[in-house]
């Protein structure tokens, strides 16, 4: 967590010329804002900080005499005990956004009347008052009326408040401006100040600030209301968020002890990849989800069970509240996170929270908020709404959930929001009208799995296990992943990867091979005789076998599934267990129902307390697994099949197949086929036939006739007609490949067949991929190169791509074979160094080039080392550290340029204007120093069409000259 500057970040500033003393405030740990007149037109000044003995000489990096404001930069951190890094602001920057008086504001500084204590140590003073927004409106001055007269006049006429110039004015933790003067004739009760909004808008300030700090442009928070209770409560609330969310339980690690099972989120968090929707015929660029969130104020995040959605929500909440997010997400630092776990609300019987109820939604251990606090936070645009588990809301209530969320955001439109949901729980663009962009968490790549395995074993080593033995197990597991594709496919989510690690450790290297066997083994591990191995004798006074544990847990799980919920109260659990225990006399004799529940919570490793007296299974997948077992054992397949058309039951149906006997499995498969045959909805039919085929794969034996019926049913929904059907059929993997139609059929369906082949990927999918490439669809398949073996795909598929076709690549092994391919339209995503790009892209005349998601690029000098004489299209997207676009000047053939989330200030657009043939420029979410986009450098480019998105119309300058050649998109 960032170390807080002492004394609200207040600094004494001394003119180098006369020693005149004023005050100032730390904007970052090495930049100081003060009044220009304190410096007496000097180029440097001394800064003194409470708690630090020495003065530090700072240089003036910006000054505006008219505003009476200046910015100083120190050569080192001014906060005692820290070193300077890339900075984010140490205070929240604000502006007054109301005409009503703003009470409970304060000034902290070093006036003459207070300046030193008896030991001549620097001493600050503190004043409270009310900002009067209309009192200095004409002069663009912020006026603050002190609550009481602070001092009396001195006999010599000198102001006793001299030295307060440059002192910060705070509303809570927000900095509103700096003191300029105390006017005469007001009894030292009125103070005139320079508003921070005027300083940030001042000529050259933003550029100087960014250059000095190496950070992002300053962002101002609007203050409309404020009370003196807000700031201390906000700090308390942030601490409660940290206590609740800075640690996470990684399932499976409890076998190795508490220290290994509960990780600090800084250790446990793995930034996974996500993708946006496909756009303009180009493949979505996989990026780290943190980077994607940086430029998207509202996100609907889809992800499978165990994909890491909740972990991401917790990580965002903890770090945003603490102000410790990195540069890409720095805009979220200092926002107030409101976590809304919908599953918990449903378990408690609560409705969707109003603004006043948001602080309590997560059940944090914190006092009640001051009246109206959450509303003030949202009105100021400082809220970060984190809605976890929209799929946990029953289908019949999802429209109510939609209405609640859309209404809340309509009332507070500047609120940032991330909502999570399972992939198919709501239809595409479900929140599109509310300007949500959809992201999908992607399965972990091999390098992600390796990173997770290493972190898992690091955590295990903390528990005192034999380090060398664990290193050997880690090496063995990584080797198994590399040589066993079936095993590595099981580890594509953090949840299952953690379970595999734990089982591998427990079994000393031996692992199950199927998803069902993996869950079954995990339960055996968790419910097994762990206490016997540890020589712990009935710690709760209760001993149960694995099967007795399962019987209790699966009854509870089935009840939850029937009710469409995942959380339950203690009272509900006691009621359900009380119905089961009479049939288990050996367990019932050992204690009360409450004792049994306590034992399950303490010893099973499968139940956990989410909030006070609200519990859940450690993961929903294990709830579904146990529920499926209960339905099968209780001969309730018919009940399961009655829910076959309901998406939230599909995992239970699929997992039931692993529990079925040879007699029961055909009934399950036939029931799914029958349910699919009676529906007219093609999407539902496809899903049910796919479920039937997946269930059939569990069978050690199934009649040839039934296997044939399953194949015929799946064939009837091939080819897929939309993306959802592609997703469902891809679950069958290689099974579906022989059922695909030959190329040359319906051109409309051929594209979806290509998507399906590409989604399956791997060596077995190469023959149909090659066949469709020969039939003229090589360019569509080429977008999915990463799904196939690199060299074989290049030889068998990309060889059929015409020279004008497009190549998309994101791995170094792909870049290595690029030299044997003739294509001139190439998209490269990932952190390749300039040298790697030059080596991989050299030797060809480029016509169309995309560079995306590359933090290694600070400039585009790589273009100077490539053959770009024929380059007509260039796209540069999400290159977080890119600052220099001068290499664009002189691109003589460039006709179309797309810049997304890269700098678009005057220097950048001047470089763009140096491309003489440019006819279209598209700017999406440009990085701007002061929020304003000045198009005037482009006026000299004849016939240029410009498309801008992500910038308010009022902030686009120089637009008139373009007329209808300028299009402004939301």
């Amino acid at each position: 967590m960032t170390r807080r500057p002492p004394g609200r970040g207040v600094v004494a500033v001394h003119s180098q010329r006369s020693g005149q003393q004023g005050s100032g405030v730390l904007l970052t740990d090495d930049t100081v804002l003060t009044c220009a007149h304190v410096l007496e037109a000097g180029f440097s000044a001394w800064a003194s900080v409470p708690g630090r003995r020495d003065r530090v000489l700072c240089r003036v990096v910006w000054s505006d005499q008219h505003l009476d404001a200046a910015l100083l930069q120190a050569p080192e951190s001014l906060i005692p005990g820290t070193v300077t890094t890339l900075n984010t602001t140490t205070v929240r920057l604000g502006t007054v956004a109301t005409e009503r008086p703003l009470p409970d504001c304060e000034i902290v500084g070093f006036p003459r009347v207070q300046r030193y204590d008896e030991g001549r140590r620097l001493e600050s003073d503190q004043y409270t008052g009310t900002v009067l927004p209309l009192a200095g409106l004409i002069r663009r001055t912020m006026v603050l009326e002190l609550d009481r007269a602070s001092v009396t006049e001195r006999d010599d006429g000198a102001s006793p408040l001299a030295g307060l110039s440059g002192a910060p004015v705070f509303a809570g933790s927000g900095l509103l401006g700096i003191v300029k003067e105390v006017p005469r004739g007001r009894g030292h009760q009125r103070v005139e100040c320079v508003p921070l909004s005027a300083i940030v808008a001042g000529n050259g300030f933003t550029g100087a600030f960014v250059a000095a700090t190496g950070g992002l442009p300053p962002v101002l928070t609007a203050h409309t209301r404020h009370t003196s209770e807000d700031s201390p409560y906000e700090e308390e609330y942030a601490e409660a968020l940290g206590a609740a969310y800075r640690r996470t339980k990684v399932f499976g690690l409890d076998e190795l002890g508490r220290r290994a099972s509960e990780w600090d989120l800084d250790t446990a968090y793995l930034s996974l990849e996500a993708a946006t929707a496909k756009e303009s015929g180009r493949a979505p660029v996989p990026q780290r989800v943190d980077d994607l969130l940086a430029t998207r104020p509202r996100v609907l995040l889809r992800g499978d069970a165990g994909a890491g959605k909740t972990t991401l929500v917790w990580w965002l909440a903890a770090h945003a509240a603490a102000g410790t997010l990195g540069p890409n997400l720095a805009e979220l630092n200092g926002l107030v996170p409101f976590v809304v776990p919908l599953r918990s609300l449903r378990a408690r019987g609560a409705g969707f929270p109003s603004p006043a109820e948001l602080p309590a939604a997560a059940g944090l251990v914190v006092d009640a908020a001051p009246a109206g606090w959450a509303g003030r936070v949202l009105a100021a645009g400082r809220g970060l709404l984190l809605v976890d588990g929209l799929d946990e809301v029953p289908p019949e209530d999802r429209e109510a959930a939609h209405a609640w969320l859309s209404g809340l955001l309509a009332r507070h439109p500047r609120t940032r929001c991330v909502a999570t949901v399972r992939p198919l729980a709501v239809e595409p663009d479900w929140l599109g009208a509310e300007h949500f962009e959809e992201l999908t968490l992607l399965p972990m790549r091999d390098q992600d799995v390796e990173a997770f395995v290493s972190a898992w074993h690091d955590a295990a080593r903390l528990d005192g296990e034999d380090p060398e033995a664990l290193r050997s197990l880690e090496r063995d597991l990584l080797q198994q992943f590399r040589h066993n594709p079936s095993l590595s496919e099981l580890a594509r989510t953090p949840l299952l990867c953690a379970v595999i690690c734990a089982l591998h450790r427990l079994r000393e290297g031996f692992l199950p091979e199927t998803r069902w066997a993996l869950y079954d083994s995990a339960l055996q591990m968790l419910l097994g005789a762990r206490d016997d191995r540890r020589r712990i004798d009935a710690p709760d006074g209760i001993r149960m076998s694995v099967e007795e544990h399962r019987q209790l847990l699966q009854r509870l799980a089935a009840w939850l599934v029937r009710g469409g919920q995942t959380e339950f109260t203690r009272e509900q659990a006691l009621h359900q267990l009380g119905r089961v225990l009479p049939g288990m006399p050996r367990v019932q004799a050992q204690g009360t129902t409450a004792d049994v529940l306590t034992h399950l919570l303490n010893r099973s490793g499968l139940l956990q307390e989410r909030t006070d007296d609200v519990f859940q299974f450690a993961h929903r997948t294990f709830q579904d697994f146990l529920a499926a077992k209960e339905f099968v054992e209780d001969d309730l397949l018919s009940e399961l099949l009655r829910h076959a058309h309901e998406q939230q039951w599909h995992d239970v149906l699929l997992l039931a197949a692993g529990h079925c006997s040879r007699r029961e499995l055909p009934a399950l498969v036939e029931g799914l086929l029958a349910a699919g045959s009676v529906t007219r909805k093609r999407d539902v039919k496809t899903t049910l036939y796919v479920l039937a085929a997946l269930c059939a794969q569990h069978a050690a034996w199934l009649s040839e006739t039934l296997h044939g019926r399953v194949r015929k049913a799946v064939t009837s929904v091939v080819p897929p007609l939309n993306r959802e059907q592609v997703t469902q059929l891809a679950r069958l993997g290689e099974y579906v490949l022989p059922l695909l139609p030959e190329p040359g059929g319906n051109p409309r369906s051929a594209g979806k067949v290509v998507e399906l082949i590409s989604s399956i990927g791997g060596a077995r999918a190469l023959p149909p991929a090659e066949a469709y490439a020969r039939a003229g669809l090589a360019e569509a398949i080429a977008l999915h190169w990463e799904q196939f073996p690199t060299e074989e795909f290049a030889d068998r598929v990309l060889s059929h791509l015409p020279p004008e076709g497009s190549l998309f690549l994101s791995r170094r092994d792909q870049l290595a074979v690029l030299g044997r391919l003739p294509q001139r339209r190439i998209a490269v995503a990932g952190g390749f160094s300039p040298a790697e790009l030059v080596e991989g892209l050299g030797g060809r005349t480029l016509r169309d080039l995309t560079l995306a998601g590359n933090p290694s690029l600070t400039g585009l000098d790589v273009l100077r080392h490539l053959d770009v004489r024929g380059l007509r299209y260039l796209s540069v997207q999400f290159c977080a550290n890119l600052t220099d676009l001068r290499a664009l000047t002189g691109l003589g053939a460039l006709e179309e340029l797309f810049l997304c989330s890269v700098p678009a200030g005057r220097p950048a657009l001047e470089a763009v204007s140096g491309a003489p043939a440019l006819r279209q420029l598209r700017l999406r979410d440009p990085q701007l120093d002061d929020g304003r986009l000045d198009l005037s450098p482009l006026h000299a480019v004849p016939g240029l069409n410009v498309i801008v998105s992500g910038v308010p119309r009022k902030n686009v300058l120089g637009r008139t000259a373009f007329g209808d050649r300028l299009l402004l998109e939301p």
Side-chain angles (χ1 to χ4, degrees):
M1 187 177 293
T2 304
R3 182 165 179 175
R4 189 171 296 171
R8 302 275 260 159
V10 180
V11 177
V13 178
H14 309 264
S15 165
Q16 195 179 20
R17 294 191 171 184
S18 69
Q20 171 180 292
Q21 179 255 312
S23 302
V25 59
L26 289 168
L27 296 186
T28 69
D29 61 10
D30 67 344
T31 56
V32 178
L33 181 66
T34 187
C35 276
H37 77 257
V38 172
L39 310 180
E40 299 182 308
F43 296 102
S44 58
W46 296 97
S48 302
V49 180
R52 181 173 180 146
R53 294 184 178 180
D54 58 323
R55 291 181 175 184
V56 177
L57 185 63
C58 305
R59 64 188 180 93
V60 179
V61 294
W62 173 84
S63 181
D64 189 317
Q65 299 295 328
H66 176 69
L67 283 174
D68 197 6
L71 187 67
L72 311 178
Q73 183 178 22
E76 61 190 49
S77 174
L78 292 171
I79 302 175
T82 63
V83 295
T84 299
T85 59
L86 285 180
N87 286 268
T88 55
T89 53
T90 58
V91 294
R92 190 169 68 244
L93 308 180
T95 182
V96 179
T98 178
E99 294 184 348
R100 297 180 179 180
L102 194 66
D104 297 316
C105 297
E106 64 177 311
I107 298 171
V108 186
F110 302 95
R112 182 195 304 272
V113 72
Q114 176 79 5
R115 192 172 305 164
Y116 297 104
D117 67 4
E118 294 179 357
R120 300 296 294 170
R121 292 174 302 183
L122 196 62
E123 184 64 275
S124 59
D125 206 350
Q126 191 169 10
Y127 307 89
T128 60
T130 299
V131 168
L132 306 174
L134 298 181
L137 190 62
I138 303 300
R139 293 174 291 127
R140 299 180 64 193
T141 296
M142 184 172 70
V143 174
L144 184 141
E145 186 88 11
L146 299 177
D147 290 337
R148 63 185 62 86
S150 54
V151 292
T152 57
E153 284 285 355
R154 288 168 53 100
D155 293 337
D156 61 5
S159 173
L161 294 181
L164 204 60
S165 295
V169 181
F170 292 107
S173 58
L175 177 67
L176 298 183
I178 56 174
V179 171
K180 179 169 62 172
E181 63 180 326
V182 179
R184 293 182 179 275
R186 293 282 186 165
H188 300 285
Q189 196 163 353
R190 182 164 281 201
V191 180
E192 294 192 349
C193 314
V194 187
L196 199 60
S197 56
I199 294 172
V200 170
N203 186 26
F205 173 82
T206 296
F209 177 83
V210 171
T213 63
L216 296 172
V219 177
L220 300 182
T221 298
H223 287 261
T224 56
R225 292 174 287 166
H226 168 71
T227 73
S228 58
E229 297 175 322
D230 284 1
S231 294
Y233 181 79
E234 208 162 296
E235 294 178 10
E236 194 178 329
Y237 181 80
E239 290 172 2
L241 282 167
Y245 297 129
R246 286 187 79 90
R247 299 187 68 79
T248 184
K249 185 176 180 64
V250 180
F251 186 88
L253 285 176
D254 62 320
E255 176 62 25
L256 301 179
R258 182 179 178 87
R259 289 177 62 193
S261 68
E262 292 190 3
W263 286 358
D264 183 279
L265 254 182
D266 293 336
T267 305
Y269 180 69
L270 178 68
S271 179
L272 300 174
E273 284 189 326
T276 59
K278 193 172 180 180
E279 180 184 352
S280 302
R282 298 178 181 272
V285 178
Q287 295 178 74
R288 296 296 163 184
V289 67
D290 309 356
D291 296 332
L292 288 166
L293 291 174
T295 56
R296 291 164 171 79
R298 295 181 183 176
V299 166
L300 180 65
L301 183 68
R302 297 180 185 263
D304 289 315
K309 303 184 296 296
T310 296
T311 300
L312 173 63
V313 165
W314 287 20
W315 181 81
L316 281 172
H319 283 276
T324 51
L325 292 169
N328 283 1
L329 289 173
E331 287 188 15
L332 304 187
N333 282 330
L335 294 185
V336 178
F338 295 113
V339 181
V340 183
L342 291 177
R343 64 178 70 88
S344 298
L345 296 179
R346 178 166 172 76
R348 298 199 298 261
F352 300 110
S354 67
E357 295 168 331
L358 285 174
L364 300 175
V365 182
V366 65
D367 290 336
W373 171 70
R376 290 189 290 275
V377 168
L378 295 172
R382 297 197 297 112
L384 174 60
L385 187 62
L386 300 169
V387 183
D388 191 27
L390 280 168
D391 53 287
E392 308 287 358
V393 178
E396 61 270 19
D397 293 338
R398 284 183 191 156
E399 281 311 307
H402 185 285
W404 162 74
L405 185 55
S406 61
L408 182 62
L409 295 175
R411 177 69 179 84
H412 301 288
R414 290 182 294 157
T415 301
R416 296 189 70 134
C417 182
V418 176
T420 71
V421 68
R422 287 203 184 185
L424 301 176
V426 297
E427 61 268 20
D429 211 29
W430 190 62
L431 289 169
E434 288 71 37
H435 306 294
F436 275 74
E437 293 192 55
E438 295 197 1
L439 303 178
T440 300
L441 280 176
L442 301 177
M444 291 197 295
R445 296 198 196 200
D446 292 343
Q447 58 265 38
D448 295 325
V449 171
E450 291 184 8
F452 189 97
V453 169
S454 296
W456 193 96
H457 287 84
D458 286 343
R461 280 186 275 272
L462 293 176
D463 205 38
E465 296 287 330
D466 181 357
E468 188 52 46
L470 283 167
R471 272 190 286 272
S472 176
L473 282 169
E474 181 181 346
R475 287 192 296 269
D476 176 72
L477 182 56
L478 290 173
Q479 193 75 359
Q480 288 197 50
F481 279 138
R482 293 180 188 122
H483 292 93
N484 185 344
S486 297
L487 179 65
S488 63
E489 284 305 308
L490 286 174
R492 296 304 180 189
T493 67
L495 169 72
L496 292 184
C497 194
V499 171
I500 289 172
C501 289
L503 287 171
H504 182 263
R505 164 74 180 88
L506 182 67
R507 296 181 170 199
E508 298 182 342
F510 294 96
L511 287 169
E513 295 183 354
T514 68
R515 180 187 180 212
W516 184 89
L518 180 63
Y519 296 150
D520 192 55
S521 298
L523 291 176
Q524 186 74 29
M525 176 187 73
L526 292 165
L527 303 178
R530 294 184 300 157
D531 290 342
D532 288 343
R533 293 197 300 273
R534 297 175 181 181
R535 300 182 181 178
I536 299 173
D537 184 26
D540 301 305
I542 294 176
R543 296 181 65 86
M544 284 193 282
S545 67
V546 172
E547 187 55 33
E548 286 169 332
H549 274 108
R550 283 185 174 177
Q551 286 296 324
L552 291 170
L553 291 169
Q554 69 191 47
R555 303 292 178 92
L556 187 57
W559 169 74
L560 288 170
V561 167
R562 285 188 177 109
Q565 62 191 78
T566 58
E567 293 196 355
F568 53 92
T569 64
R570 179 178 294 273
E571 182 180 353
Q572 290 170 327
L574 290 173
H575 178 69
Q576 295 302 320
L577 294 177
R579 298 175 62 186
V580 181
L581 285 173
M584 305 176 70
R586 196 186 79 84
V587 176
Q588 191 175 36
Q590 298 181 56
T592 65
T593 306
D595 294 333
V596 172
L597 176 60
T598 299
H599 175 82
L600 291 174
L601 290 168
N602 288 342
R603 313 310 307 170
S604 75
L606 279 173
L607 298 179
Q608 62 186 29
E609 187 172 15
R610 181 63 190 89
T611 60
D612 289 344
D613 277 345
V614 176
F615 308 93
Q616 64 182 12
F617 277 84
H619 198 278
R620 181 170 162 180
T621 298
F622 293 93
Q623 171 187 306
D624 291 347
F625 182 86
L626 286 163
K629 186 173 186 292
E630 173 65 16
F631 285 117
V632 172
E633 288 185 352
D634 208 21
D635 197 21
L636 292 173
L637 284 182
S638 58
E639 181 182 352
L640 270 178
L641 289 168
R642 282 200 301 272
H643 294 281
H645 293 82
E646 300 174 36
Q647 184 268 338
Q648 65 268 30
W649 285 74
H650 288 170
D651 272 357
V652 183
L653 280 158
L654 182 58
L655 290 166
H659 297 292
C660 284
S661 66
R662 193 175 103 177
R663 176 183 60 84
E664 294 162 330
L665 188 60
L668 178 62
V669 173
E670 288 175 346
L672 289 169
L673 292 177
S677 67
V678 299
T679 181
R680 296 183 178 181
K681 296 180 179 179
R682 175 73 177 246
D683 287 356
V684 177
K685 186 186 295 287
T686 301
T687 298
L688 293 172
Y689 286 167
V690 166
L691 282 174
L694 290 170
C695 289
Q697 292 175 5
H698 281 286
W701 183 89
L702 197 66
S703 72
E704 183 179 359
T705 301
L706 189 50
H707 271 304
R709 288 177 56 198
V710 171
R711 280 193 299 272
K712 183 177 179 180
V714 174
T715 303
S716 72
V717 291
V718 174
L721 302 181
N722 57 39
R723 180 62 198 168
E724 183 172 343
Q725 292 169 27
V726 168
T727 301
Q728 288 296 326
L729 288 167
R731 299 173 67 188
L732 295 174
E734 298 172 4
Y735 175 94
V736 80
L737 293 175
L739 310 181
L740 298 178
E742 293 293 325
N746 187 337
R748 295 181 59 187
S749 62
K752 294 303 176 187
V753 174
V754 165
E755 284 188 36
L756 178 55
I757 294 170
S758 302
S759 297
I760 297 168
R764 297 288 182 87
L766 272 173
E770 182 179 9
Y772 273 81
R774 288 178 181 275
L777 291 165
E779 191 161 1
I781 302 175
L783 294 172
H784 306 279
W785 187 1
E786 64 179 16
Q787 300 293 107
F788 298 87
T790 302
E791 296 201 17
E792 293 90 334
F793 189 81
D795 293 336
R796 298 179 59 175
V797 176
L798 298 181
S799 58
H800 301 289
L801 191 66
E804 294 304 312
S806 299
L807 282 180
F808 174 81
L809 54 99
S810 59
R811 300 197 310 256
R812 283 173 174 77
D813 57 345
Q814 294 171 326
L815 198 61
V817 302
L818 194 58
R820 70 174 75 166
L821 301 169
Q823 279 69 41
R824 297 191 294 166
R825 303 176 63 183
I826 297 178
V828 185
F832 298 101
S833 69
E836 289 173 322
L837 292 173
V838 170
E839 182 178 355
L841 298 174
R844 74 185 67 229
T845 300
L846 293 168
R847 179 182 176 183
D848 182 321
L849 177 63
T850 295
L851 299 173
N854 192 334
S856 299
L857 292 181
T858 58
L860 295 178
D861 287 349
V862 63
L863 297 175
R864 304 184 194 278
H865 303 283
L866 300 174
D867 187 350
V868 292
R869 291 172 296 176
L871 187 67
R872 297 181 182 177
Y873 174 88
L874 176 64
S875 172
V876 184
Q877 308 175 35
F878 306 111
C879 296
N881 298 312
L882 184 67
T883 57
D884 185 358
L885 303 185
R886 286 177 294 178
L888 296 176
T889 297
L891 292 179
L894 188 65
E895 297 175 355
E896 187 176 352
L897 176 63
F898 178 34
L899 299 176
C900 180
S901 294
V902 298
R906 176 172 285 273
L909 296 188
E910 286 176 349
V912 170
S913 68
L918 192 65
R919 292 296 173 265
Q920 179 169 298
L921 170 65
R922 187 182 184 105
L923 298 172
R924 174 179 293 177
D925 299 321
Q927 295 179 13
L928 304 168
D929 288 344
D930 56 3
R932 293 181 292 183
L933 175 65
D934 185 0
L935 298 177
S936 59
L938 303 174
H939 289 172
V941 183
L944 178 64
N945 293 282
V946 179
I947 304 172
V948 178
S949 57
V951 182
R953 181 181 182 85
K954 66 180 181 179
N955 288 357
V956 180
L957 310 180
R959 60 180 185 269
T960 305
F962 286 94
D964 59 5
R965 291 185 292 112
L966 174 65
L967 175 63
L968 299 179
E969 298 179 337

